Amino acid sequence: MRRKLLVGNWKMNRNPVEADGLAGNLRKLLSEATFADIVVAPPFLSIPAVVSRLKHSNIEVGAQNLHAEASGAFTGEISGEMLKTAGASWCIVGHSERRQLFGEDDRLVSAKVQACLRAGLRPILCVGETLAERDAGQVDAVVSRQVEAVFQKLNAEIAATVTIAYEPVWAIGTGRTASPEQAQEVHATIRGLLAKHFPAFVARTSRILYGGSVKGSNARSLLGQADVDGALVGGASLVPEDFLAIVEGAR
Ligand code: PEP
C-alpha cells in the first residue's frame, strides 16, 4: 500500500509572520491526520518560521524551487543545501508556473531534480499538458517526455524516492479539475512508464500525486482512484479548513 501524500503549495503567498500563523493553525487542525503524509511548501523566506512552528509535528516542510548548482555566482538564487539547512526536506521541481513563466525546460528540471537529490531533499516533479496539447491528443507524449527527461538519469533505488505530481496546466488555479477518470488515465500511463524503465518495485512504490484545483468537494473521488496517491494543492492549501477537508479525503 502506498501511503497518501498531501502537499500544500503556498506559491508567493504568506510573509514570515503570516506563514507562522498559517502553520500554527494547520498544526492544530491536522494533528490527528496521521493516516497520510503532509507537506507544506511556503515561499523561501517563510521557510524558517514554518519549520520552527511545525517542529515535532506531523507536517513536513518543502520548498517550491531551487537552483541547480550547489553554490556560486548566481545572484538571487537559493541552493538545495541552503534549503536543507533551513529545515526543508522536500522540494517541488518543474511546476508549470516555473516552466511557463520562468522558461524552465526539461533539461533544467532534470538538473534541479539532481540538485535536490545531492542536497538530500525529496523532489516532487511536476508534469502536465496544456489545454492545447490535450486538445491535440498529445497528453501521453508530453507527460512521457517530461517524466523520461528526469528519470533517464536515475537508477531504480533513487527513482523510487522521486514523487511525481501530474498537474494538467489547464486545471491549475482555474477551478477546472480533471475528472477522476482523466486523472487516473494519466496516472496509469505514468506508472506504466516507470514499469517499462525500472524493476517492478519502482512502479509499485512510487507516489504519483494529482494537482489542479483540488478542493474538499472533489478530493475524495480523485484520491480514490487506484493510481492517485495524493494531491498537490495550491489555492486551497492557504485556507486551513479547506486543506483539512482535502486531507480528510485521503482517510
Ligand atoms: C498548484 O499550484 O500546484 C496547484 C495545483 O494549484 P491549484 O490547486 O490552486 O489549482
Side-chain angles (χ1 to χ4, degrees):
M1 269 299 279
R2 295 179 293 271
R3 202 171 143 80
K4 292 275 195 282
L5 169 61
L6 292 310
V7 182
N9 172 16
W10 295 2
K11 310 196 188 198
M12 197 172 74
N13 297 295
R14 305 298 181 265
N15 68 34
V17 175
E18 295 163 343
D20 179 54
L22 176 55
N25 284 335
L26 288 171
R27 180 177 186 133
K28 270 186 242 135
L29 269 186
L30 296 173
S31 63
E32 315 266 277
T34 50
F35 49 86
D37 294 330
I38 304 171
V39 176
V40 293
F44 288 140
L45 202 58
S46 299
I47 286 176
V50 174
V51 165
S52 167
R53 181 60 60 194
L54 296 178
K55 206 167 183 172
H56 305 307
S57 77
N58 56 329
I59 309 175
E60 293 182 281
V61 180
Q64 301 169 17
N65 181 35
L66 80 174
H67 193 271
E69 298 296 330
S71 64
F74 302 105
T75 301
E77 292 294 318
I78 303 279
S79 73
E81 188 272 333
M82 292 170 185
L83 295 169
K84 181 78 180 170
T85 304
S89 40
W90 298 77
C91 188
I92 298 168
V93 178
H95 190 280
S96 65
E97 287 154 15
R98 302 282 333 159
R99 293 181 192 256
Q100 294 203 314
L101 305 175
F102 301 97
E104 295 196 5
D105 59 11
D106 288 335
R107 211 181 138 100
L108 180 58
V109 170
S110 173
K112 288 189 172 196
V113 168
Q114 294 289 335
C116 282
L117 296 167
R118 280 196 306 274
L121 294 167
R122 301 193 61 179
I124 299 167
L125 167 68
C126 299
V127 300
E129 81 287 355
T130 62
L131 191 56
E133 289 164 340
R134 174 163 282 265
D135 288 344
Q138 295 170 346
V139 178
D140 285 7
V142 169
V143 168
S144 301
R145 191 201 74 226
Q146 292 172 333
V147 170
E148 285 175 340
V150 170
F151 279 78
Q152 65 179 356
K153 302 251 172 62
L154 307 178
N155 67 35
E157 280 67 31
I158 300 291
T161 70
V162 175
T163 299
I164 298 172
Y166 169 57
E167 299 207 301
V169 178
W170 47 271
I172 296 179
T174 59
R176 217 182 130 182
T177 318
S179 68
E181 295 72 27
Q182 283 174 320
Q184 168 58 26
E185 196 180 340
V186 182
H187 283 230
T189 299
I190 295 171
R191 205 174 299 286
L193 271 181
L194 297 177
K196 182 171 131 197
H197 294 295
F198 297 105
F201 80 91
V202 177
R204 201 171 53 240
T205 57
S206 293
R207 288 189 287 197
I208 307 174
L209 316 182
Y210 169 78
S213 299
V214 177
K215 309 182 263 278
S217 56
N218 58 27
R220 190 171 297 281
S221 58
L222 286 160
L223 294 169
Q225 299 299 307
D227 290 296
V228 177
D229 306 313
L232 178 52
V233 184
S237 72
L238 293 167
V239 183
E241 292 73 18
D242 292 356
F243 194 51
L244 171 67
I246 292 168
V247 171
E248 282 295 332
R251 197 192 274 275

